[in-house]
Amino acid sequence: MSQDRLQRFTFTGQPVRGAHVRLPESHRAVLACHAYPEALKPLLGEALAAVVLLSATLKFEGKLSLQIQGEGALRLLLVQCNEVQQVRALAQWQDPVTSSDLTQLLTNGQLALTIEPAQGQRYQGIVPLEGPSLAACLEAYFQQSEQLPTRLYLAADGHEAAGMLLQALPAAGPDTEGSFQHLSTLADTLKPEELLNLPAETLLHRLYHQDPLEVYPVTGVSFRCQCSRERCLGALATVDFQELQQMLEHDGEIAMNCEFCNHTYRFGPADIQGLFPDPASPTQH
Ligand SMILES: [Zn+2]
């Protein structure tokens, strides 16, 4: 198993669940894909940790996306996690990026969470991006759209990325608020370096040795892009045959770049011919 691990837990007798994640390998793999500005690296790591933690609260097959969009040095940040905790990320920015602070990075920002189940309806919730940190913005999101008290602790330094989530269970009883307050007050004492460096077991013991909790089997997390040559060909098959021919004549090939992992797929005349076996009616495909 990779070093990247997700640990879910629930408190015994307190209607609160939690999750802890450390993602050194995935964080580094994401950063290796593009020449990201130094100042953006911690935010990418925090967003990766956040999307994995949020995936731990869902029972679904499909894809969860966390997206930040706005005006300023940071245009777009998108991180995705599927039901087996495979993650990928991308950012679009405009140089120079001089601050890691969300409020400096973009204005008129929006934060969107999208669930795309393998089967069934796509769900998207959007809130204005208000708050000093990604964790604060996500907490506000859960307050507004889910009415679920949620706390997130995120840390990343360009090498390590880690996080912890606490969330009141849906339809919990009258003692929920007290429990949630108690458990999050303890977690508020966490320092970023503890999040980044301590294994889940040590960290949970340090915070909650007086609050019995049940831990679930550890889940591995990995960086894996969902792009493929077949998917690119599928996209090309929706383009007009004549247009593709013109591109081939102009460049000798058609190159498609994946914005997530930066891999380039190249297609020649034979690939394009293969997509349109009957050029008399190419738009039928
Ligand atoms: Zn890719």
Side-chain angles (χ1 to χ4, degrees), residues 88 223-228 257-263 265:
R88 64 177 183 171
F223 167 76
R224 190 184 159 88
C225 196
Q226 312 297 322
C227 68
S228 69
N257 183 255
C258 174
E259 279 192 277
F260 285 93
C261 70
N262 209 13
H263 185 81
Y265 296 90

Tab-separated table of all heavy atoms in Angstrom, residues 88 223-228 257-263 265, ligand 1:
chain	number	residue	atom	x	y	z
A	88	ARG	N	-6.770	13.404	-8.542
A	88	ARG	CA	-6.020	14.180	-9.510
A	88	ARG	C	-6.390	15.651	-9.313
A	88	ARG	O	-7.384	15.958	-8.639
A	88	ARG	CB	-6.284	13.720	-10.940
A	88	ARG	CG	-7.705	13.906	-11.410
A	88	ARG	CD	-7.849	13.477	-12.866
A	88	ARG	NE	-9.193	13.707	-13.367
A	88	ARG	CZ	-9.535	13.588	-14.646
A	88	ARG	NH1	-8.643	13.211	-15.548
A	88	ARG	NH2	-10.764	13.829	-15.043
A	223	PHE	N	-2.569	8.767	-6.557
A	223	PHE	CA	-2.724	9.689	-7.674
A	223	PHE	C	-2.956	8.856	-8.927
A	223	PHE	O	-2.168	7.964	-9.233
A	223	PHE	CB	-1.458	10.533	-7.835
A	223	PHE	CG	-1.408	11.274	-9.138
A	223	PHE	CD1	-2.171	12.403	-9.333
A	223	PHE	CD2	-0.613	10.827	-10.181
A	223	PHE	CE1	-2.145	13.082	-10.542
A	223	PHE	CE2	-0.573	11.497	-11.394
A	223	PHE	CZ	-1.349	12.630	-11.569
A	224	ARG	N	-4.030	9.130	-9.618
A	224	ARG	CA	-4.264	8.434	-10.880
A	224	ARG	C	-5.176	9.275	-11.761
A	224	ARG	O	-6.303	9.582	-11.391
A	224	ARG	CB	-4.906	7.063	-10.638
A	224	ARG	CG	-4.935	6.230	-11.890
A	224	ARG	CD	-5.670	4.919	-11.648
A	224	ARG	NE	-6.111	4.384	-12.900
A	224	ARG	CZ	-5.368	3.589	-13.669
A	224	ARG	NH1	-4.178	3.226	-13.281
A	224	ARG	NH2	-5.836	3.153	-14.810
A	225	CYS	N	-4.661	9.631	-12.923
A	225	CYS	CA	-5.476	10.406	-13.849
A	225	CYS	C	-6.392	9.456	-14.611
A	225	CYS	O	-6.035	8.309	-14.870
A	225	CYS	CB	-4.594	11.187	-14.811
A	225	CYS	SG	-5.513	12.494	-15.648
A	226	GLN	N	-7.574	9.952	-14.934
A	226	GLN	CA	-8.549	9.104	-15.630
A	226	GLN	C	-8.453	9.254	-17.152
A	226	GLN	O	-9.275	8.709	-17.884
A	226	GLN	CB	-9.973	9.444	-15.186
A	226	GLN	CG	-10.155	9.547	-13.677
A	226	GLN	CD	-9.884	8.252	-12.957
A	226	GLN	OE1	-10.223	7.188	-13.453
A	226	GLN	NE2	-9.236	8.320	-11.804
A	227	CYS	N	-7.477	10.024	-17.622
A	227	CYS	CA	-7.402	10.234	-19.070
A	227	CYS	C	-6.875	8.962	-19.764
A	227	CYS	O	-6.240	8.119	-19.137
A	227	CYS	CB	-6.499	11.417	-19.400
A	227	CYS	SG	-4.751	11.155	-19.037
A	228	SER	N	-7.167	8.831	-21.050
A	228	SER	CA	-6.658	7.685	-21.808
A	228	SER	C	-6.722	8.013	-23.296
A	228	SER	O	-7.426	8.933	-23.717
A	228	SER	CB	-7.501	6.434	-21.530
A	228	SER	OG	-8.783	6.591	-22.087
A	257	ASN	N	-3.697	17.376	-25.128
A	257	ASN	CA	-2.984	17.417	-23.848
A	257	ASN	C	-3.974	17.311	-22.688
A	257	ASN	O	-5.003	17.966	-22.699
A	257	ASN	CB	-2.207	18.736	-23.776
A	257	ASN	CG	-1.380	18.812	-22.517
A	257	ASN	OD1	-1.738	19.529	-21.589
A	257	ASN	ND2	-0.312	18.064	-22.458
A	258	CYS	N	-3.646	16.469	-21.710
A	258	CYS	CA	-4.494	16.356	-20.518
A	258	CYS	C	-4.082	17.446	-19.533
A	258	CYS	O	-2.932	17.510	-19.126
A	258	CYS	CB	-4.350	14.981	-19.880
A	258	CYS	SG	-5.251	14.855	-18.316
A	259	GLU	N	-5.053	18.297	-19.174
A	259	GLU	CA	-4.749	19.411	-18.274
A	259	GLU	C	-4.425	18.941	-16.859
A	259	GLU	O	-3.816	19.660	-16.092
A	259	GLU	CB	-5.952	20.350	-18.195
A	259	GLU	CG	-6.043	21.313	-19.347
A	259	GLU	CD	-7.075	22.375	-19.043
A	259	GLU	OE1	-8.265	22.088	-19.269
A	259	GLU	OE2	-6.706	23.447	-18.575
A	260	PHE	N	-4.884	17.760	-16.509
A	260	PHE	CA	-4.609	17.246	-15.160
A	260	PHE	C	-3.171	16.731	-15.071
A	260	PHE	O	-2.369	17.235	-14.311
A	260	PHE	CB	-5.580	16.112	-14.814
A	260	PHE	CG	-6.965	16.577	-14.486
A	260	PHE	CD1	-7.943	16.639	-15.466
A	260	PHE	CD2	-7.304	16.954	-13.195
A	260	PHE	CE1	-9.230	17.064	-15.153
A	260	PHE	CE2	-8.576	17.386	-12.875
A	260	PHE	CZ	-9.538	17.435	-13.866
A	261	CYS	N	-2.841	15.717	-15.872
A	261	CYS	CA	-1.541	15.053	-15.695
A	261	CYS	C	-0.511	15.534	-16.705
A	261	CYS	O	0.651	15.133	-16.644
A	261	CYS	CB	-1.708	13.540	-15.779
A	261	CYS	SG	-2.109	12.964	-17.435
A	262	ASN	N	-0.929	16.372	-17.658
A	262	ASN	CA	-0.019	16.970	-18.646
A	262	ASN	C	0.496	15.968	-19.677
A	262	ASN	O	1.490	16.221	-20.355
A	262	ASN	CB	1.155	17.656	-17.936
A	262	ASN	CG	1.697	18.829	-18.726
A	262	ASN	OD1	1.061	19.285	-19.680
A	262	ASN	ND2	2.873	19.301	-18.374
A	263	HIS	N	-0.144	14.808	-19.765
A	263	HIS	CA	0.268	13.834	-20.777
A	263	HIS	C	-0.276	14.265	-22.140
A	263	HIS	O	-1.408	14.732	-22.237
A	263	HIS	CB	-0.267	12.442	-20.424
A	263	HIS	CG	0.219	11.373	-21.354
A	263	HIS	ND1	1.460	10.793	-21.212
A	263	HIS	CD2	-0.357	10.806	-22.444
A	263	HIS	CE1	1.619	9.913	-22.189
A	263	HIS	NE2	0.542	9.896	-22.941
A	265	TYR	N	-1.338	13.118	-25.906
A	265	TYR	CA	-1.700	12.001	-26.788
A	265	TYR	C	-1.617	12.506	-28.227
A	265	TYR	O	-2.117	13.586	-28.543
A	265	TYR	CB	-3.130	11.531	-26.486
A	265	TYR	CG	-3.290	10.959	-25.096
A	265	TYR	CD1	-3.642	11.785	-24.037
A	265	TYR	CD2	-3.078	9.613	-24.843
A	265	TYR	CE1	-3.780	11.278	-22.745
A	265	TYR	CE2	-3.209	9.092	-23.562
A	265	TYR	CZ	-3.564	9.932	-22.519
A	265	TYR	OH	-3.696	9.422	-21.257
B	1	ZN	ZN	-4.416	12.858	-17.534
